[in-house]
Amino acid sequence: MSDKHVVMVVDMQNGVFETPRREQQECVSQVNRLIRAADRVIFIQHIEEGGLEEGSHGFALLPDLEQPSGALYVTKTACDAFYKTELERVLAENDISAFVMCGCATDYCVDTTLKVGASKGYQITVAEDAHTTANRPAAEAATLIAHYNEVWRTLTVPGNPVSVKPVDTIVTQWHTN
């Protein structure tokens, strides 16, 4: 499956979005475009006490998010989706070494998972217009999203650069391959 188009959707859950996120509907729309174009989808869901318990409303994916049959699901308890999870096993079992990342929260779970994944050798593309976050005390969400897109574009991982592209470009490239 390494030549297939895979999208990893991070923390697009009801409970995570109880905190207002920048352009939520636009983000969901862009994530859904990737989901529809992908051959395989992996949903990463944060699980913890206090509203994100498995089976709870908070744990559930956003209702507007498309969930194709055959999607894969991995739970996590930390910002890093690789930390003490089944993610590496799931990727190996499905022969996935490259994927597109999108989701929430840009400055926590998306960033940490991307950096760990790139250091583990996965070829990662970030959908620059399909991740979101909340305003923080030190910076507004729009600034954080732009900042992290730039950080990821210039991230130093010798021999394994991270790509940052708009959804339009990703989907077009997938359709031409």
Side-chain angles (χ1 to χ4, degrees):
M1 174 158 291
S2 59
D3 62 339
K4 298 295 182 184
H5 309 301
V6 179
V7 63
M8 182 182 296
V9 181
V10 178
D11 292 352
M12 296 292 285
Q13 299 165 251
N14 290 321
V16 174
F17 280 81
E18 288 176 0
T19 300
R21 304 295 173 163
R22 176 160 174 80
E23 299 181 347
Q24 174 180 333
Q25 286 310 112
E26 292 84 353
C27 182
V28 170
S29 176
Q30 292 291 67
V31 171
N32 280 336
R33 286 185 63 208
L34 289 168
I35 289 170
R36 286 190 298 272
D39 296 312
R40 181 60 72 132
V41 179
I42 304 169
F43 291 103
I44 307 295
Q45 290 173 270
H46 200 92
I47 185 169
E48 65 181 45
E49 293 178 12
L52 294 177
E53 298 88 356
E54 194 161 3
S56 71
H57 174 75
F59 178 78
L61 294 171
L62 294 171
D64 293 340
L65 200 63
E66 295 178 20
Q67 295 181 58
S69 63
L72 303 169
Y73 297 83
V74 174
T75 60
K76 66 181 183 61
T77 58
C79 289
D80 172 9
F82 289 96
Y83 179 74
K84 297 184 179 181
T85 71
E86 298 293 316
L87 183 55
E88 283 188 275
R89 180 188 60 74
V90 167
L91 293 170
E93 285 178 357
N94 290 278
D95 193 26
I96 298 169
S97 60
F99 50 85
V100 170
M101 284 189 67
C102 58
C104 189
T106 301
D107 46 339
Y108 288 93
C109 300
V110 176
D111 178 61
T112 305
T113 299
L114 177 140
K115 288 175 179 173
V116 171
S119 72
K120 289 180 174 287
Y122 294 99
Q123 296 174 324
I124 301 173
T125 300
V126 179
E128 69 182 36
D129 49 353
H131 60 91
T132 189
T133 196
N135 291 332
R136 307 292 184 199
E140 292 197 10
T143 299
L144 290 167
I145 291 166
H147 170 76
Y148 279 91
N149 280 335
E150 182 58 26
V151 165
W152 299 330
R153 275 187 187 91
T154 59
L155 188 65
T156 303
V157 184
N160 190 27
V162 171
S163 295
V164 181
K165 301 176 182 177
V167 170
D168 282 340
T169 301
I170 294 166
V171 171
T172 298
Q173 288 175 341
W174 281 358
H175 288 307
T176 59
N177 290 338

